[in-house]
Amino acid sequence: MSTLPFLVAVDWGTSSFRLWLMSADGTVLAEHRSHEGMSEVAASGFETVLESHLSALSVPEQIPVVICGMAGSRQGWVEAGYLDTPADIATIGENATLVPGTAREIIIVPGLAVRSLNEPDVMRGEETQLLGAYFDMPDGARYCMPGTHSKWVTMEGSVVTGFETFMTGELFSAVTGKTIVAYSTGGEGPVDARDPAFASGVRDGWTRPELTTHHLFSIRAGQLLHDTRQEENRARLSGLLIGAELAGAGLRGDEEIGLVASGALQRLYHAALSECGAQIRDIDADVAVQRGLMEAWRSHSAKTGDRKRA
Amino acid sequence: MSTLPFLVAVDWGTSSFRLWLMSADGTVLAEHRSHEGMSEVAASGFETVLESHLSALSVPEQIPVVICGMAGSRQGWVEAGYLDTPADIATIGENATLVPGTAREIIIVPGLAVRSLNEPDVMRGEETQLLGAYFDMPDGARYCMPGTHSKWVTMEGSVVTGFETFMTGELFSAVTGKTIVAYSTGGEGPVDARDPAFASGVRDGWTRPELTTHHLFSIRAGQLLHDTRQEENRARLSGLLIGAELAGAGLRGDEEIGLVASGALQRLYHAALSECGAQIRDIDADVAVQRGLMEAWRSHSAKTGDRKRA
């Protein structure tokens, strides 16, 4: 196990910043997490925020940085473009964008885009998790990547042939924050994946997704008429939205799904996928993104090396 | 046409107050509208608000008032209870609740409740519109009543056998106000029912309701990738949510539907129902609620008269 710093890997999302100092064999030597997501950091502030973390860890200037996530969007640090599907994620490193004018070498990997006219779609950050997850399921797979904007991805080998985003997490926040259902779901406590109301919500959402907006109102009516508990109502709401996502993704009951997730979302989606009979391969999202960033760096430097040799 | 004041009819909702001074033959002698909905008026203030409108219209104290809507909820003026389905709406007047301690006779009609354990539901206000609409379709019908919380109602004669609420209007507000889609849908301008993006949204929502939360995100992706216009995006969003509501309500392509609506919502739902092939009976929501309040008053006074004679 090496302890020499080799690479700084950063997943820089809309609302979170995660940085890992890694050795050449992939060992995580140090980790920093903060809420300095893209929406907190003004365009000019990205380098300041990054260097403050690097100086706290005394990372020498010759150690490069590879970044994925919304920092590469138009509203981010430097726009890193998209690879269009079908897209070989093994190429995200060689298609990364160099951040200009910094002392240190810093690259941002591109996102992926479905450039269809009817159902366009985009991702930023998940492509890097997929590159890390790919080694676990190299023959191709369907992946479920839960989040504010959940992604369902089909891969053949290392090629993403298509994906679909579902606004499940953001709708949960909007419904519990800003609608009449908020009166029935209460505060911000976590949903218990073992709550029977979660499982019944998943079943109803999966089998009757067209009734989702009716079922949401029914949560409020249930509280008025049957005095249902807030925890139960939150669990049912979460189950309904996740179940409808599984229906929208066209999940088949016995399908093998790579679940790329961690923490509370991993528990909820694992329970939901089980409820619907899926065969689940659990893939830790943090490990996947670390591995993906390392792989992206390697293919980037291989290309740069080729160019230098040429 | 009588010009003698006979009854004050009030539809008092969460966010709006509408009052009509009516003669015995149903002629509207005067109308007041304001934003003094239930959520603006503290419990103690209902009588003050009502009497200020009545005094502006010089309505004599012997003229009674009949109220429907959220003013009869637990958070309203006086809780007016619910009739459980199957419920004969011809009886809402005789089941109205007298507001205690006022100089004038003021009654509030009950709402309706579906007391199912799995899919409980409630309405307040629409039962009165239904009583007014019933005279146009006395043999029974399915009604679509669009709004913040759209209602789909099945009636046999004057009996409501069941109904379902869909949170369509409130979700439109939540999504355009509080999610990433807001960046793509812009301000608060009305949606044009003739926009082709509205019609295509209706079709996609109706035929693939399970993809609704995917289609919502796709609006954002479309703006990023294809630079779609905000008006077009708002129209598509509105169409998607209304189309999914029609799917959830199980609309059959050639079904006759009583559309109880007015204004902009009437135009949108009429266009959406047409797009899906429904046979539409347009029923003006304002006329329906005025007529329903008058009928409720008549059956209330008939009962009171019976009691006095007994």
Side-chain angles (χ1 to χ4, degrees):
Chain A
M1 195 181 92
S2 168
T3 56
L4 277 180
F6 172 77
L7 178 69
V8 173
V10 179
D11 183 354
W12 208 330
T14 303
S15 57
S16 71
F17 171 91
R18 294 183 303 164
L19 177 152
W20 298 279
L21 180 61
M22 302 178 78
S23 69
D25 66 0
T27 306
V28 173
L29 307 175
E31 177 181 275
H32 271 203
R33 288 171 184 256
S34 83
H35 294 292
E36 294 152 308
M38 183 192 77
S39 50
E40 295 259 312
V41 179
S44 59
F46 282 92
E47 188 175 6
T48 311
V49 168
L50 178 63
E51 287 297 339
S52 78
H53 287 281
L54 296 180
S55 103
L57 291 167
S58 308
V59 180
E61 201 172 277
Q62 73 272 21
I63 305 292
V65 178
V66 55
I67 300 174
C68 69
M70 292 301 284
S73 70
R74 204 171 302 170
Q75 290 78 35
W77 189 354
V78 174
E79 190 172 4
Y82 298 105
L83 302 184
D84 292 353
T85 56
D88 186 345
I89 49 165
T91 70
I92 61 172
E94 55 203 75
N95 286 292
T97 298
L98 184 72
V99 176
T102 58
R104 193 185 298 274
E105 182 167 9
I106 303 173
I107 61 169
I108 307 182
V109 303
L112 301 190
V114 177
R115 239 169 249 278
S116 130
L117 274 178
N118 290 327
E119 295 188 19
D121 214 326
V122 290
M123 66 165 64
R124 274 199 191 281
E126 292 88 354
E127 72 296 324
T128 307
Q129 292 181 24
L130 287 167
L131 178 55
Y134 157 68
F135 296 96
D136 288 336
M137 299 170 83
D139 295 332
R142 272 243 288 177
Y143 292 95
C144 168
M145 313 178 82
T148 305
H149 302 144
S150 292
K151 311 286 179 186
W152 283 74
V153 184
T154 305
M155 286 184 72
E156 294 177 8
S158 63
V159 174
V160 171
T161 55
F163 65 90
E164 289 174 332
T165 304
F166 296 83
M167 280 183 49
T168 308
E170 191 163 21
L171 278 179
F172 183 81
S173 299
V175 169
T176 55
K178 290 290 155 189
T179 72
I180 198 169
V181 180
Y183 294 110
S184 308
T185 52
E188 305 209 336
V191 169
D192 184 349
R194 295 160 307 177
D195 192 319
F198 177 76
S200 79
V202 169
R203 278 194 304 276
D204 288 345
W206 192 44
T207 55
R208 301 296 307 275
E210 73 281 12
L211 289 178
T212 301
T213 73
H214 166 53
H215 286 143
L216 298 193
F217 186 81
S218 203
I219 290 173
R220 170 63 173 163
Q223 193 216 359
L224 290 171
L225 299 176
H226 305 311
D227 210 16
T228 48
R229 288 178 304 111
Q230 291 197 332
E231 295 73 22
E232 183 185 343
N233 295 338
R234 279 178 78 78
R236 178 163 171 80
L237 173 63
S238 172
L240 283 169
L241 292 175
I242 293 174
E245 177 186 325
L246 304 192
L251 177 73
R252 297 187 312 275
D254 59 348
E255 194 177 353
E256 187 184 46
I257 297 293
L259 174 59
V260 185
S262 52
L265 277 186
Q266 189 276 334
R267 290 190 289 279
L268 289 173
Y269 275 76
H270 191 103
L273 287 163
S274 297
E275 185 69 33
C276 300
Q279 309 296 315
I280 306 161
R281 285 277 292 265
D282 279 303
I283 297 164
D284 185 277
D286 288 1
V287 172
V289 78
Q290 291 158 19
R291 198 165 174 181
L293 286 162
M294 177 65 82
E295 285 303 317
W297 174 255
R298 288 194 193 285
S299 62
H300 168 80
S301 16
K303 189 186 84 169
T304 317
D306 286 351
R307 246 199 244 125
K308 281 181 186 152
R309 276 191 297 276
Chain B
M1 194 182 94
S2 167
T3 57
L4 277 179
F6 172 76
L7 178 70
V8 173
V10 179
D11 183 354
W12 208 330
T14 302
S15 57
S16 70
F17 171 91
R18 294 182 304 163
L19 176 153
W20 298 279
L21 180 61
M22 301 178 78
S23 70
D25 66 0
T27 306
V28 173
L29 308 175
E31 176 180 274
H32 270 203
R33 289 172 184 256
S34 84
H35 295 291
E36 294 152 308
M38 184 192 74
S39 51
E40 295 259 314
V41 179
S44 59
F46 283 92
E47 188 175 7
T48 311
V49 169
L50 178 63
E51 287 298 338
S52 78
H53 287 281
L54 296 179
S55 101
L57 291 166
S58 308
V59 180
E61 201 171 274
Q62 73 273 21
I63 304 293
V65 178
V66 56
I67 300 174
C68 70
M70 291 300 284
S73 70
R74 206 171 302 171
Q75 290 78 35
W77 190 354
V78 173
E79 191 172 2
Y82 297 106
L83 303 184
D84 292 352
T85 55
D88 187 345
I89 50 164
T91 70
I92 60 172
E94 55 202 76
N95 286 292
T97 297
L98 184 72
V99 176
T102 58
R104 192 187 298 273
E105 182 168 9
I106 302 173
I107 61 168
I108 307 183
V109 303
L112 301 190
V114 177
R115 238 169 250 278
S116 129
L117 275 178
N118 290 328
E119 294 188 20
D121 214 326
V122 291
M123 67 164 64
R124 277 200 190 279
E126 293 89 353
E127 72 295 323
T128 308
Q129 292 181 24
L130 287 167
L131 179 55
Y134 158 68
F135 295 97
D136 287 336
M137 298 170 85
D139 296 331
R142 273 242 288 176
Y143 293 96
C144 168
M145 313 178 82
T148 306
H149 302 145
S150 293
K151 311 286 179 186
W152 282 74
V153 185
T154 306
M155 287 185 73
E156 294 177 7
S158 62
V159 174
V160 171
T161 56
F163 65 90
E164 289 173 333
T165 304
F166 295 84
M167 281 183 49
T168 309
E170 191 163 22
L171 278 179
F172 183 82
S173 299
V175 169
T176 56
K178 291 288 154 188
T179 72
I180 198 169
V181 180
Y183 294 109
S184 308
T185 53
E188 305 209 335
V191 169
D192 184 348
R194 295 159 306 177
D195 192 320
F198 177 75
S200 80
V202 168
R203 278 194 303 277
D204 287 343
W206 192 44
T207 55
R208 302 294 308 273
E210 74 281 10
L211 288 179
T212 301
T213 72
H214 166 54
H215 286 143
L216 298 192
F217 186 82
S218 202
I219 290 173
R220 170 65 174 161
Q223 193 216 359
L224 289 172
L225 298 177
H226 305 310
D227 211 16
T228 49
R229 288 178 305 111
Q230 291 196 332
E231 295 72 23
E232 183 186 343
N233 295 337
R234 280 178 77 79
R236 177 162 172 83
L237 173 64
S238 173
L240 283 168
L241 293 175
I242 293 174
E245 176 186 325
L246 305 192
L251 176 73
R252 296 187 312 277
D254 58 349
E255 194 177 354
E256 187 185 45
I257 297 292
L259 175 59
V260 186
S262 52
L265 276 186
Q266 189 276 334
R267 289 189 289 278
L268 289 173
Y269 275 75
H270 190 102
L273 287 162
S274 296
E275 184 70 32
C276 300
Q279 309 295 316
I280 306 162
R281 285 277 291 264
D282 278 303
I283 298 165
D284 186 276
D286 288 0
V287 172
V289 77
Q290 291 157 18
R291 197 166 175 180
L293 286 163
M294 177 65 84
E295 285 303 318
W297 174 254
R298 287 195 193 285
S299 63
H300 168 79
S301 15
K303 189 187 82 167
T304 317
D306 287 351
R307 245 200 245 125
K308 282 181 186 151
R309 277 191 296 277

